Amino acid sequence: MKAEERGCFIERLEQLRDSKVLVYFSFTPLDDSILVPLYKQLKEIGHTRKIDLLLHSYGGALDTPYKVVRLIREFCEEFAVIVPFAAKSAASMLVLGADEVVMGPLSELGPIDPLTKHPIYKDILVPVQAVWHCLDYLQRSMINSSDPEITSLIVTPLLNKLDPWLIGDYEKTIKATRQYAEMLLSRYMLKDDPERVQTVTQALTEGYFSHGYPIGLYEARELGFKVTEAQGELWEVVWELYLGYEELFKEKEE
């Protein structure tokens, strides 16, 4: 799909949604490098009533989603996120800062439990929750053991490998994730349903054992999100845009 075709689909999406459409489509981690080009684009658009962000991302830096939401909202009265396929992890955090999320049959959000670099294998990202599940497992092993002394001999060397500084840093990361989620939900996505904020925050940060768990349209509604189901021409346009950008990225790789 050529750039002109993508432009035509974006124009049609703006007509269908009565909005200005921004696109963030990436297979690399979301980070602060998005902020300057985003600001330039917003300056070109100027203040407008409604902005839709067409979003495809598997997540990234913890602090970036809050910055993106704050920046976009400086330029609009209403903000919605359109998810053709995947908005996972930190990208799901962006959805918490929207007034509405537009989803179709293949759309997925995900848990927002944070990932962090492995302390030894720097290229590997591990869920921070894995540390707490490890500690919980070791504790249960000692409590339920028929021979606590032998279990202690096995478990103690493992515990000694856990750096207290790292554990403290992981705890701080989890608390920061909860703080951002609560702020965004209470101000935006769940502003009309504040009693759900704590429950939804806990569900998104602790309630799913798989970081890749797919939260689809109907489950997002059950969480209390304001979900618009993309159907008919709206979904066709959204999906064609997804395919167009996916094709663009494949061409760049080649």
Side-chain angles (χ1 to χ4, degrees):
M1 184 185 292
K2 295 180 180 179
E4 294 81 6
E5 292 178 86
R6 291 194 301 273
C8 289
F9 277 116
I10 288 173
E11 286 179 11
R12 183 56 183 153
L13 183 56
E14 290 179 335
Q15 292 168 0
L16 291 169
R17 292 278 301 160
D18 189 22
S19 68
K20 284 292 184 180
V21 172
L22 299 172
V23 177
Y24 180 76
F25 193 105
S26 180
F27 292 104
T28 57
L30 173 69
D31 60 30
D32 284 2
S33 65
I34 187 182
L35 296 175
V36 171
L38 175 61
Y39 178 65
K40 289 178 179 177
Q41 205 165 2
L42 288 167
K43 287 281 284 182
E44 287 181 14
I45 294 171
H47 194 276
T48 187
R49 185 184 66 83
K50 183 177 181 180
I51 289 178
D52 284 336
L53 176 65
L54 185 79
L55 176 64
H56 178 75
S57 171
Y58 288 94
L62 171 63
D63 301 313
T64 300
Y66 183 77
K67 298 177 185 180
V68 170
V69 170
R70 188 178 60 181
L71 180 56
I72 290 175
R73 285 189 169 276
E74 288 290 322
F75 289 84
C76 64
E77 308 300 325
E78 299 175 39
F79 170 48
V81 175
I82 301 173
V83 182
F85 186 37
K88 310 302 284 282
S89 193
S92 288
M93 188 83 80
L94 280 171
V95 174
L96 308 189
D99 301 302
E100 170 196 12
V101 57
V102 180
M103 302 177 71
L106 287 173
S107 305
E108 289 183 16
L109 309 179
I112 58 172
D113 56 308
L115 298 177
T116 189
K117 289 184 178 179
H118 191 284
I120 299 173
Y121 308 106
K122 301 299 183 181
D123 293 334
I124 297 177
L125 292 174
V126 294
V128 173
Q129 290 287 359
V131 177
W132 309 123
H133 287 301
C134 173
L135 291 171
D136 179 61
Y137 170 75
L138 294 175
Q139 183 181 39
R140 284 187 288 108
S141 296
M142 294 184 71
I143 292 173
N144 298 327
S145 174
S146 58
D147 193 332
E149 288 188 12
I150 293 178
T151 304
S152 178
L153 288 173
I154 297 170
V155 167
T156 300
L158 295 175
L159 288 172
N160 289 338
K161 288 180 177 292
L162 295 175
D163 188 327
W165 182 88
L166 281 176
I167 293 175
D169 191 53
Y170 290 171
E171 172 70 8
K172 183 174 150 186
T173 301
I174 290 174
K175 286 182 177 179
T177 303
R178 289 177 187 146
Q179 182 180 41
Y180 280 135
E182 288 175 4
M183 284 192 297
L184 292 172
L185 286 168
S186 60
R187 292 178 188 174
Y188 305 116
M189 184 57 76
L190 294 181
K191 64 179 180 294
D192 298 325
D193 200 3
E195 63 275 9
R196 276 187 184 242
V197 169
Q198 293 288 336
T199 303
V200 173
T201 297
Q202 184 171 6
L204 292 174
T205 55
E206 301 176 35
Y208 299 93
F209 295 119
S210 170
H211 185 71
Y213 182 92
I215 299 174
L217 184 156
Y218 299 110
E219 192 165 351
R221 274 193 182 142
E222 289 173 0
L223 288 170
F225 290 7
K226 295 180 180 68
V227 181
T228 295
E229 184 173 2
Q231 296 177 314
E233 186 184 3
L234 175 59
W235 174 247
E236 290 174 11
V237 170
V238 168
W239 188 243
E240 286 298 324
L241 275 169
Y242 170 80
L243 294 176
Y245 280 102
E246 184 185 50
E247 180 183 328
L248 177 65
F249 271 76
K250 286 181 179 177
E251 288 174 356
K252 287 182 177 180
E253 288 176 359
E254 294 171 358

